Amino acid sequence: MFPNVLIAQLVLCNSSPALAQSGGLFAAVSNMSVDWVGYGYAALVASGGVVGYVKAGSVPSLAAGLLFGGLAGFGAYQISNDPTNIWVSFATSGALAGIMGKRFYGSRKFMPAGLVAGASLLMLGKLGVAMLQKPQES
């Protein structure tokens, strides 16, 4: 029963600002949008570093995965708070697209370089679309 009430609150609150401002049952739900794609990308990068360390004992892979995963997570946090603040995510995914794209071009191995390069390019596309959209008036 509880998940149904929570989903109804989220749907109605996000679709009708008047209900959220009325001070009723829907006032407790925030209208802040969470960058789930950004957090997923950060988890992918960080877990890739951990897997590289576990499988091959590569400390540089662990350090780079945790560093770039942390930066991507911080960028997703910034986008969640202010959708126009995309620069940390943009720089992180751009750097990873370049580095891992070069590694993929040289090795032609999809794992891990091709996967991270592809995910980084998709993230850059998402951020590019976000930059081109007009800001919404509130």
Side-chain angles (χ1 to χ4, degrees):
M1 177 75 183
F2 178 71
N4 295 337
V5 173
L6 182 61
I7 290 171
Q9 284 181 344
L10 291 173
V11 168
L12 291 174
C13 182
N14 287 334
S15 64
S16 177
L19 286 175
Q21 293 174 357
S22 67
L25 177 64
F26 303 104
V29 179
S30 172
N31 278 336
M32 183 176 80
S33 63
V34 178
D35 184 20
W36 292 113
V37 175
Y39 285 123
Y41 173 71
L44 173 76
V45 171
S47 63
V50 172
V51 168
Y53 176 73
V54 169
K55 287 185 104 177
S58 173
V59 175
S61 176
L62 176 66
L66 293 179
L67 173 71
F68 280 101
L71 285 171
F74 178 66
Y77 171 76
Q78 284 187 323
I79 291 173
S80 295
N81 289 328
D82 178 14
T84 62
N85 192 3
I86 64 162
W87 301 109
V88 172
S89 288
F90 196 76
T92 302
S93 56
L96 276 176
I99 293 167
M100 297 305 263
K102 185 175 188 278
R103 286 186 62 196
F104 175 66
Y105 183 74
S107 70
R108 298 288 186 210
K109 292 182 181 178
F110 182 71
M111 289 298 286
L115 176 69
V116 175
S120 298
L121 286 173
L122 289 174
M123 191 69 183
L124 283 172
K126 173 199 172 282
L127 294 170
V129 167
M131 276 195 315
L132 295 175
Q133 289 180 346
K134 292 181 182 178
Q136 296 179 1
E137 295 182 20
S138 51

